[in-house]
């Protein structure tokens, strides 16, 4: 089980294409992915290929969102699989960071 | 002694309990050392697992609910009755059936808190006779748990023992067919219920209530069974008991084309079907008479140690007494020691080790 | 029987063997018990060590039995004696064990045992047992004997301590940290369940190798209602274990005066929020309050998995849905409350994600649907038996595949 993150830059938007699982073994990669953002104003995390998130992974997502907001960077998490979103939803992430931050993949 | 699945048998292992064939003949006697030929023969017969003597575990006493003699006698009588019917005779010696049924009842009544904790080991081709005897034993124990008196038990037992008598008229090649039956064959097969009833009801002195067991043992509590789609209390109580015993026994023994369930798995399926296919009240009594982990089962404990079940009780089905014989590093514990899980709440079983 | 000189000599031999044990050689302990049996001419001897594998338990490190044929099983009695000492923490000197109700199968009345707790400071790290035939010795001899056992015991304590240290040092410091975390977690878990008329209760935690931060508490409130709190701290190891402790204290404080669940949970959030949010950690918490008089279950949920309710009447399982952000997510949040009325035969299963996320070797999760199914097919048992059964089913599913997260279960069943 692993996590792969592909970084793509379009003007001042950074797109993070992620695939794999987000748990204790991979959460550090997620957190490192938003280092050195420079002039970036917006980060989009594409979760289409994230198959599984556990509670540590959710902690990682929360800290990434917080870190971005602290640096006044807009962050969105898109294409979340419904079963993954269920985990985020039970923990209350949409409530804490705003519904608009999370976008569920339409099936 | 412990239970080992046939795939994991090795040459040189010693049989722990005698394995009987369909006529009650001895297939392999206790004490026989296994050769590759014997192991292959067991596989051919479709036997899933056997009791093996194991010095690391030591001796374990296994209390048969019914003595071997009585069981073999019942097997003989069932075979005789059913094969006679097969030869176009329409009658049989009712006294013979009553005698053997009484023997079983008397042995079972001697111990009211009986728990079935022995794995029934049968060959696939032993499906009808061995199965009939087991269903009778399970039905009687259930009847005892439900407070039946001797007279009622006798009728229940006779019906249970001969519930499949209609199969005598059913072509043998279809009985052993591996592939699912086609529609026509299925119709024919379902007819064994009516055929059985016809045979039994014409025998004087055979209780009509017992004959109804043959007719109704494939009815389902929710009305989706056959032949008459009877529902709930509309099905006779005897038949409701035998239905549970029947499917439990089928699930826990090998049948062509389907793997065998362990008792705790079979009980789960039975419990899930209470109120659906099965009478919930009967199920409630039935679950108490079956040991979830038969004596001789190897289990893994939460400590990582392996142990063999040596004693079970009705009151604490999930917490048997076990003998710990392998430590968590996989080393043999000599001599092994015993833990009664009822008194040791820090310990629990995490799974059954089927491979033995 | 044994003069001072021979005693000293024996102790010397025990000590020299113990020095070898520090090289991670546990065979030495078998040599020690054999030596003691021969020199003291006793029936048997054993050394047990405390383990924290799968809860607190005991493991036999060494055993020796003199003479082959006995009419009873010494290993079994020996297990029971050691278990008693581990349970009570005190030594045991019993002259006629058949008089003692703790020995379930003692058939002999001439057997006596000295079971000596091996304590390093206050921590019980092992038990040392000596078995003998009491008819063989006079009263005075027995007294001397006990004092010798104590001397050997105190040497064994040092030896065992060093052995544990050494074998732990071998497994890096992490192993030791792990033990500590497990220990904290075990101490925080409920030991004795409250007794309440009309219900049965069962709880269990199976810690993963790396302690996962599961938290469970179960208690009676001032007006004899039942409080059940379950949660999961993000993260693992000692930090998670410490947050479990904080949560437990905050929860108990908030709940003690029959506080409504949503008020209690809101209060826990207010207390823990500042530290949690600063550290970027969160805790999920579900608190349920059961009133046995009118059979109502009120609950509030801060990000935890919804408990499963099995309805006896319909034989259906439904989740007790109620959303709310985790503890440490939103400052001063007021949580919501919900409730259900239970009936005879109804079962509520509280659990942590370790249960439904448990994997088998094909990387498939057990899943909540399967858990619901298992709840239905074991619904006729009482609460603690349901837990025993769920654990076996879980084990059957996961097989040899290693457990990566803590698994915690609590079951409440309405019996009448």
């Amino acid at each position: 089980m692993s996590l792969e993150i592909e970084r793509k830059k379009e003007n001042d938007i950074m797109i993070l294409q992620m695939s794999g699982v987000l748990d204790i073994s991979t959460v550090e990669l997620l957190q490192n992915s938003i280092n050195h953002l420079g002039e970036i104003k917006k980060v989009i995390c594409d979760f289409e290929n994230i198959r599984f998130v556990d509670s540590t992974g959710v902690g990682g997502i929360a800290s990434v969102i917080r870190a971005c907001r602290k640096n006044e960077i807009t962050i969105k998490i898109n294409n979340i699989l419904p079963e993954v979103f269920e985990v985020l939803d039970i923990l209350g992430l949409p409530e804490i960071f705003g519904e608009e931050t999370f976008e569920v993949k339409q099936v | 002694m412990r239970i080992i699945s046939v795939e994991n048998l090795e040459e040189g292992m010693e049989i722990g309990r005698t394995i009987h064939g369909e006529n009650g003949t001895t297939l392999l006697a206790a004490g026989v050392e296994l050769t590759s030929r014997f192991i292959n023969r067991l596989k051919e017969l479709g036997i899933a697992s056997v009791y093996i003597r194991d010095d690391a575990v030591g001796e374990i006493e296994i209390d048969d609910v019914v003595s071997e003699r009585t069981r073999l006698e019942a097997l003989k009588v069932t075979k005789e009755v059913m094969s006679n019917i097969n030869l176009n005779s329409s009658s049989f010696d009712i006294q013979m059936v009553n005698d053997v049924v009484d023997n079983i009842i008397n042995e079972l009544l001697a111990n009211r808190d009986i728990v079935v904790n022995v794995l029934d080991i049968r060959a696939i081709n032993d499906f009808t006779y061995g199965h009939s005897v087991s269903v009778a034993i399970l039905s009687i124990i259930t009847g005892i748990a439900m407070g039946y008196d001797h007279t009622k038990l006798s009728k229940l037992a006779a019906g249970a023992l001969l519930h499949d008598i209609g199969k005598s008229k059913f072509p043998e090649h279809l009985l052993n067919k591996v592939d699912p039956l086609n529609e026509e064959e299925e119709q024919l097969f379902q007819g064994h219920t009516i055929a059985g009833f016809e045979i039994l009801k014409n025998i004087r002195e055979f209780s009509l209530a017992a004959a109804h067991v043959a007719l109704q043992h494939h009815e389902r509590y929710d009305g989706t069974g056959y032949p008459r789609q009877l529902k709930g209390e509309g099905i006779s109580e005897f038949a409701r008991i035998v239905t549970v015993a029947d499917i439990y026994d089928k699930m826990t023994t090998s049948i062509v084309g389907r793997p065998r369930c362990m008792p705790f798995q079979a009980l789960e399926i039975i419990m899930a079907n209470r109120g659906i296919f099965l009478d919930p009240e009967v199920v409630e009594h039935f679950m108490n008479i079956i040991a979830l982990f038969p004596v001789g089962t190897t289990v893994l404990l939460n400590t990582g140690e392996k142990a063999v079940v040596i004693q079970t009780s009705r009151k604490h089905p999930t917490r048997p007494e076990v003998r710990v014989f392998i430590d968590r590093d996989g080393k043999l514990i000599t001599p092994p020691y015993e833990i009664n899980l009822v008194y040791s709440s820090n310990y629990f079983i995490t799974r059954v080790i089927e491979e033995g | 029987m044994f003069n001072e000189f021979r005693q000293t000599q024996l102790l010397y031999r025990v000590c020299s063997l113990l020095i070898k044990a520090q090289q991670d050689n546990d065979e030495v302990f078998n040599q020690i018990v054999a030596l003691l049996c021969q020199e003291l001419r006793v029936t048997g001897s054993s050394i047990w060590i405390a383990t924290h594998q799968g809860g607190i338990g005991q493991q036999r490190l060494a055993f020796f039995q003199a003479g082959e044929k006995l009419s009873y099983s010494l290993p079994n009695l020996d297990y029971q004696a050691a278990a008693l000492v581990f349970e009570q923490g005190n030594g045991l000197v019993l002259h006629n064990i058949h008089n003692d109700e703790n020995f379930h199968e003692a058939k002999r009345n001439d057997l006596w045992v000295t079971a000596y707790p091996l304590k390093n400071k206050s921590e019980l790290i092992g038990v040392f047992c000596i078995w003998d035939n009491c008819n063989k010795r006079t009263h005075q001899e027995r007294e001397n004997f006990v004092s010798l056992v104590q001397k050997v015991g105190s040497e064994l304590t040092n030896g065992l301590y060093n052995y544990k240290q050494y074998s732990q040092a071998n497994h890096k410091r992490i192993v030791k940290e792990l033990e500590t975390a497990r220990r904290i977690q075990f101490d925080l878990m409920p030991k004795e369940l409250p007794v309440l008329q009309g219900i049965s209760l069962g709880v269990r935690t199976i810690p993963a190798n790396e302690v996962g931060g599961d938290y469970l508490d179960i208690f009676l409130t001032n007006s004899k209602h039942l409080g059940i709190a379950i949660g999961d701290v993000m993260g693992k190891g000692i930090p998670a274990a410490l947050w479990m402790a904080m949560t437990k204290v905050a929860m108990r404080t908030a709940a003690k005066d029959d506080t409504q669940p949503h008020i209690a949970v809101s209060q826990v959030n207010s207390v823990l929020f500042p530290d949690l949010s600063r550290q970027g950690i969160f805790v999920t918490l579900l608190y349920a309050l059961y009133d046995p008089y009118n059979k109502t279950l009120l609950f509030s949920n801060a990000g935890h998995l919804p408990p499963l309710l099995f309805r006896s009447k319909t034989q259906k399982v439904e989740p007790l849905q109620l959303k709310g952000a985790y503890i440490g997510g939103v400052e001063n949040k007021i949580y919501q409350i919900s409730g259900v009325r239970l009936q005879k035969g109804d079962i509520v299963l509280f659990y942590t994600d370790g249960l439904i996320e448990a994997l088998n070797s094909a990387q498939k999760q057990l899943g909540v649907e399967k858990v619901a199914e298992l709840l239905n097919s074991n619904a006729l048992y009482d609460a603690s038996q349901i837990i025993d059964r769920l654990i076996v089913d879980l084990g059957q599913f996961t097989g040899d595949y290693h457990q990566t997260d803590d698994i915690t279960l609590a079951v409440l069943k309405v019996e009448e």
Side-chain angles (χ1 to χ4, degrees):
Chain A
M1 286 195 285
S2 62
L3 176 71
E4 274 172 40
I5 303 178
E6 205 178 301
R7 287 159 62 115
K8 260 191 288 182
K9 207 176 138 187
E10 286 173 18
N11 303 321
D12 57 355
I13 299 176
M14 172 73 83
I15 298 171
L16 300 173
Q17 206 84 40
M18 308 196 182
S19 58
V21 297
L22 205 45
D23 63 8
I24 191 149
S25 61
T26 59
V27 72
E28 224 176 301
L29 278 172
L30 173 75
Q31 279 156 332
N32 292 340
S33 70
I34 54 153
N35 292 341
H36 319 294
L37 285 179
E39 297 303 300
I40 298 293
K41 288 270 169 289
K42 185 172 183 180
V43 171
I44 296 173
C45 301
D46 189 332
F47 262 42
E48 188 174 359
N49 293 315
I50 294 287
R51 301 188 312 270
F52 170 70
V53 177
D54 76 352
S55 65
T56 317
V58 172
I61 296 170
S63 76
V64 164
I65 297 174
R66 241 184 259 113
C68 285
R69 293 200 175 158
K70 204 168 139 198
N71 296 319
E72 293 177 351
I73 298 169
T74 313
I75 177 162
K76 278 203 70 178
I77 298 170
N78 290 348
N79 274 328
I80 310 171
L81 295 178
E83 61 267 30
V84 170
F85 182 74
E86 206 184 309
V87 176
L88 309 189
D89 195 38
I90 286 173
L91 282 152
L93 285 200
E95 185 189 337
I96 296 164
F97 297 109
E99 310 269 349
E100 68 286 352
T101 311
F102 305 90
E103 189 199 286
V104 185
K105 181 179 159 74
Q106 301 298 323
V107 190
Chain B
M1 177 139 73
R2 61 198 184 102
I3 299 167
I4 290 190
S5 71
V6 167
E7 294 85 64
N8 292 288
L9 289 179
E10 285 167 21
E11 288 181 48
M13 285 179 167
E14 214 178 290
I15 293 287
R17 279 172 69 86
T18 300
I19 304 168
H20 293 287
E22 60 171 336
N23 311 331
T25 51
T26 300
L27 282 179
L28 277 176
V32 166
E33 204 170 285
L34 284 174
T35 62
S36 64
R37 202 167 61 88
F38 286 151
I39 297 174
N40 283 335
R41 181 78 186 119
L42 288 171
K43 284 180 187 163
E44 275 166 30
L45 288 167
I47 287 173
S49 43
V50 295
Y51 286 88
I52 286 295
R53 276 199 191 143
D54 184 339
D55 289 338
V57 174
E59 285 300 313
I60 298 174
E61 219 169 286
I62 299 185
D63 305 322
D64 274 310
V65 288
V66 169
S67 68
E68 195 173 285
R69 219 183 97 224
T70 303
R71 188 186 274 269
L72 293 179
E73 180 66 25
L75 205 60
K76 218 181 83 196
V77 168
T78 313
K79 188 177 157 95
E80 208 167 309
V81 167
M82 288 181 73
S83 39
N84 266 336
I85 292 292
N86 200 8
L87 296 167
N88 287 327
S89 156
S90 59
S91 185
F92 58 84
D93 181 2
I94 178 92
Q95 194 52 44
M96 199 165 67
V97 173
N98 287 344
D99 286 349
V100 77
V101 154
D102 271 352
N103 281 345
I104 302 178
I105 294 172
N106 289 336
E107 284 190 22
L108 292 175
L109 278 174
N111 175 6
R112 293 233 160 211
D113 273 332
I114 225 157
V115 180
V116 181
N117 64 11
V118 187
L119 210 58
D120 211 353
I121 289 167
R122 292 205 302 265
I124 285 188
N125 66 359
D126 187 16
F127 185 61
T128 312
Y129 309 132
H131 168 70
S132 298
V133 175
S134 289
V135 168
I137 292 171
L138 292 172
S139 299
I140 298 166
I141 304 173
T142 312
I144 294 172
M146 291 171 74
Y148 278 20
D149 62 18
H150 203 293
T151 320
K152 247 175 131 180
L153 287 175
S154 302
K155 290 179 186 167
L156 168 67
L161 191 66
L162 300 179
H163 73 280
D164 268 343
I165 195 167
K167 280 190 187 164
S168 323
K169 302 278 186 195
F170 187 69
E172 196 164 331
H173 73 277
L174 289 182
L175 267 185
N176 296 323
K177 194 176 164 195
V178 181
D179 300 319
L181 301 179
N182 65 35
E183 206 171 312
E184 197 183 324
E185 291 164 342
E186 180 65 32
Q187 280 280 319
L188 202 61
F189 177 80
Q190 295 195 358
H192 84 269
T193 51
I194 298 168
F197 179 64
E198 293 295 333
I199 295 167
L200 296 178
K201 85 165 191 220
N202 287 327
I203 291 173
R204 270 165 41 108
E205 290 162 29
F206 197 87
S207 129
L208 196 60
H212 270 100
V213 171
L215 182 63
Q216 299 179 353
H217 74 278
H218 281 287
E219 298 288 358
R220 289 170 167 180
Y221 197 73
D222 62 357
T224 60
Y226 63 84
R228 293 191 291 165
Q229 285 86 46
L230 300 177
K231 203 171 171 174
E233 315 275 305
I235 309 165
S236 84
E237 191 170 84
F238 288 175
R240 281 179 269 146
I241 293 173
V242 172
T243 306
V244 176
D246 182 32
I247 69 162
Y248 174 81
D249 188 69
K250 280 179 183 153
M251 281 192 287
T252 50
T253 45
S254 309
I255 289 185
V256 180
R258 183 183 49 68
R260 164 196 63 113
C261 289
M262 285 185 278
F264 76 92
Q265 295 166 323
L267 277 182
E268 271 182 348
I269 297 171
I270 294 220
M271 244 189 276
N273 279 301
R274 69 191 187 282
I276 304 170
F277 297 163
L278 305 173
D279 178 352
E281 206 192 310
V282 173
V283 170
E284 245 176 86
H285 290 287
F286 188 82
M287 61 176 265
N288 289 321
I289 68 160
I290 304 286
L292 292 171
F293 312 108
V295 169
T297 307
T298 309
V299 295
L300 185 69
L301 300 176
N302 58 315
T303 50
E305 294 158 313
K306 286 182 187 169
V308 170
V309 174
I310 56 168
Q311 185 73 261
T312 60
S313 75
R314 202 179 259 203
K315 203 171 163 210
H316 301 285
T318 58
R319 311 211 131 249
E321 208 173 322
V322 299
R323 188 176 293 162
V324 184
F325 74 107
I326 291 180
D327 73 10
R328 64 172 171 185
D329 303 318
K331 281 192 294 192
L332 223 51
I333 300 177
T334 37
Y337 56 91
E338 292 164 9
I339 307 178
N340 188 336
L341 298 184
V342 174
Y343 303 112
S344 309
S345 54
N346 281 340
Y347 286 85
F348 50 88
I349 297 172
T350 55
R351 72 186 172 94
V352 170
I353 301 175
E354 271 186 284
E355 53 276 22
Chain C
M1 62 165 195
F2 231 69
N3 62 33
E4 195 88 2
F5 174 70
R6 284 188 60 200
Q7 282 201 18
T8 317
Q9 225 180 14
L10 181 62
L11 278 176
Y12 174 78
R13 287 173 68 186
V14 169
C15 291
S16 55
L17 279 169
L18 281 171
I19 290 167
K20 278 200 212 152
Q22 288 172 34
Q23 285 136 34
D24 204 11
N25 176 5
D26 55 9
E27 195 35 50
V28 161
F29 291 100
N30 271 319
Q31 291 170 17
I32 291 175
V33 288
L35 172 73
L36 289 170
C37 282
Q38 281 149 15
E39 290 295 316
L40 300 174
R41 306 221 167 126
V42 294
T43 312
S45 174
S46 69
I47 301 168
W48 292 77
I49 189 166
T51 65
H52 298 143
Q53 186 81 25
I56 300 290
Q58 59 188 77
Q59 194 183 2
R60 198 173 73 187
L61 200 59
F63 178 83
F64 188 86
Q65 176 177 327
E68 282 292 298
K69 288 211 174 82
L70 293 173
S71 60
Y72 50 93
S73 165
L74 193 61
N76 293 356
L77 294 174
D78 183 56
Y79 164 78
Q80 287 159 18
L84 266 181
V85 178
F86 275 113
E87 195 183 307
Q88 296 167 354
N90 301 319
L92 192 72
V93 180
L94 283 176
H95 290 190
N96 273 327
I97 63 161
H98 86 295
N99 287 335
D100 196 285
E101 59 180 31
N102 287 305
F103 292 86
H104 310 298
E105 54 170 73
K107 291 172 191 123
R108 277 177 47 132
N109 56 9
D110 56 352
L111 196 66
W112 72 290
V113 57
T114 308
Y116 185 82
L118 306 177
K119 279 189 181 168
N120 179 53
K121 298 190 184 94
S122 65
E123 191 195 355
L124 183 59
I125 57 171
V127 174
F128 165 49
C129 299
I130 291 267
W131 294 87
D132 200 23
N133 181 326
C134 60
N135 296 337
K136 267 190 351 208
R137 315 207 191 267
T138 64
H139 181 72
Q140 185 53 47
E141 277 177 337
R142 272 191 233 155
E143 296 283 307
N144 288 340
F145 200 81
V146 171
S147 95
L148 177 64
V149 167
Q150 280 170 358
K151 281 180 196 151
V152 175
S154 88
E155 292 305 330
L156 279 177
T157 307
N158 292 331
L160 206 56
Y161 179 75
N162 289 335
Y163 165 75
K164 276 187 85 166
Q165 292 299 100
Y166 190 86
S167 61
Q168 279 178 5
N170 263 353
H171 296 112
K172 288 188 253 163
R173 230 190 57 236
I174 288 178
V175 176
K176 212 172 145 192
E177 254 193 57
L178 237 136
E179 288 266 305
T180 312
R182 243 187 231 144
R183 175 95 212 179
I184 299 171
Q185 182 181 39
F186 180 79
D187 286 343
L188 290 171
M189 287 294 173
K191 297 289 167 306
E192 266 173 48
L193 295 178
V195 179
L196 209 54
Q197 181 70 27
I199 60 162
S200 63
L201 280 175
V203 298
R204 182 148 310 150
T205 291
I206 311 176
N209 258 337
E210 274 177 285
V211 171
D214 277 10
Y215 147 76
L216 177 72
D217 201 7
I218 189 157
F219 49 85
L220 288 183
T221 61
N222 286 342
S223 58
K224 299 281 182 247
H225 292 188
L226 181 76
I228 299 176
I230 188 166
D232 188 358
V233 180
M234 187 203 89
K236 297 196 173 187
I238 293 182
L242 292 176
W243 274 107
M244 281 170 59
M246 303 270 283
T247 309
K248 174 167 175 163
V249 173
M251 187 67 233
R252 281 261 178 146
T253 313
K256 75 170 189 287
D257 297 316
D258 289 287
T259 321
Q260 293 281 294
H262 61 308
I263 303 200
V265 171
S266 305
Q267 201 176 317
V268 172
N269 183 54
S270 305
V271 172
L272 300 183
F273 182 87
D275 291 320
L276 282 175
S277 65
R278 199 175 52 245
Q279 294 185 22
I281 292 177
F282 65 77
V283 177
T284 72
L285 177 67
L286 182 129
Y287 177 54
L289 190 60
Y290 178 68
D291 175 351
Y293 307 103
N294 56 27
K295 298 196 171 97
T296 48
L297 184 80
L298 300 175
F299 58 95
S300 183
N301 191 355
H304 197 77
L305 287 163
L308 297 179
L309 167 63
F310 167 81
R311 286 288 195 190
S312 158
K313 209 170 165 189
T314 57
Q315 290 185 33
K316 293 266 179 326
V317 176
E318 53 181 288
L320 293 175
Q321 295 283 9
L322 182 66
K323 274 200 233 170
Y326 53 68
I327 302 287
V330 180
E331 195 166 10
N332 295 324
K333 177 177 164 61
I334 302 296
Y335 283 87
Q336 287 175 306
I337 184 170
S338 181
V340 279
R341 175 159 253 168
L342 302 182
Q343 277 158 349
K344 186 182 166 187
D346 287 356
I347 301 163
V348 187
L349 169 69
F350 303 86
Y351 64 99
T352 56
D353 54 3
L355 176 67
I356 55 170
E357 288 170 7
L359 294 174
N360 64 9
S361 54
Q363 300 288 312
K364 187 175 174 290
Q365 292 189 4
L366 182 65
V368 70
E369 290 81 11
K370 182 70 187 166
V371 173
E373 208 178 281
L374 292 174
L375 199 55
N376 177 27
S377 49
N378 288 291
L380 296 179
Y381 294 111
D382 73 21
S384 68
Q385 292 169 344
I386 290 172
I387 292 202
D388 280 339
R389 293 291 295 100
L390 290 178
I391 298 293
V392 175
D393 286 318
L394 175 72
Q396 236 45 57
F397 172 79
T398 55
D400 277 334
Y401 197 72
H402 68 281
Q403 177 192 344
T404 53
D405 199 1
D406 290 352
I407 295 171
T408 299
L409 305 171
V411 168
L412 160 70
K413 181 175 182 190
V414 182
E415 298 284 357
E416 48 192 70

